[in-house]
Every structure is written in C-alpha cells, then in structure tokens.
Amino acid sequence: MTTPVGPYTSVVRAGDLLFVSGQIGIVDGSLAEGGFGAQAAQALANLRTQLEANGATLDQVVKTTVFLTDMGNFAAMNEIYCEAFGDHRPARSCVAVAALPIGAIFEVEAVVNVG
C-alpha cells in the first residue's frame, strides 16, 4: 500500500461504507513514469490495493471522484477507467483542478459499500 502524502487516513470505515482518500499514480515513492496513462493506471491500481487491504473490491465501489489537471485527458481517462472497472459503472464525478499533490496529473477517490 502507498503511504499518504499528507496528514490523513487512506481509508476510513463508517458502518457499511469505506471512504478511500484520493489515490495518485505513485509507486515506490515517486510518480509513475510515462505520462498521463501511466499515472492514471497506477492510481487506479493503488485504489484497488487500498480496497483489497480492507476486504473490498472495485465491484463494490458506489461512487468515485476523478480529478484531472487537464480536461484534455478526459477521453484517455475514460478508457483507462473502464479497463480498471470493467462492466461495473459506479456513479462518478470528474473535475478539473489547477494542481494535485507532488505534481500528479490524475487522482481518484472512492466510496465503497461493503455491507
């Protein structure tokens, strides 16, 4: 699992819900090399790792929020996101932001129903 880059908890359980803090494309302490696709894929892999460590799967995700530093990556994000989630389609918001932690260009957070 990745260590948070700030003073927060990566996953919090509240009843039957898991709230997973934003995951960026960090691996071995650095951002994944290879641009947007590599960072997005790694961030989603990090999300999967956080879920599995808490006894959950991507199929239990009910809501995600995706943060992009460039909405020009929206179509590429959709492709990578669909690869990660398969046929499962949780509710999703996608917003453009000015910047993300440590220079990331993609971040995803999730709400998961484990009940």
Side-chain angles (χ1 to χ4, degrees):
M1 287 199 323
T2 58
T3 302
V5 296
Y8 58 89
T9 302
S10 295
V11 181
V12 173
R13 185 175 183 138
D16 287 341
L17 298 177
L18 293 178
F19 294 84
V20 184
S21 296
Q23 300 296 302
I24 58 175
I26 195 167
V27 60
D28 298 327
S30 300
L31 289 171
E33 294 183 17
F36 180 81
Q39 283 192 35
Q42 185 62 53
L44 289 161
N46 292 345
L47 173 62
R48 183 181 307 109
T49 298
Q50 294 288 354
L51 295 177
E52 290 172 354
N54 286 277
T57 68
L58 287 174
D59 288 338
Q60 293 170 288
V61 173
V62 295
K63 169 72 168 80
T64 63
T65 305
V66 173
F67 304 92
L68 302 176
T69 59
D70 179 355
M71 269 304 177
N73 288 320
F74 187 78
M77 179 274 299
N78 275 330
E79 287 182 31
I80 296 162
Y81 186 92
C82 287
E83 285 177 25
F85 280 94
D87 291 332
H88 180 58
R89 297 289 183 265
R92 184 185 80 191
S93 300
C94 182
V95 296
V97 296
L100 291 167
I102 70 169
I105 53 180
F106 175 97
E107 182 173 356
V108 59
E109 65 180 23
V111 179
V112 185
N113 185 348
V114 294

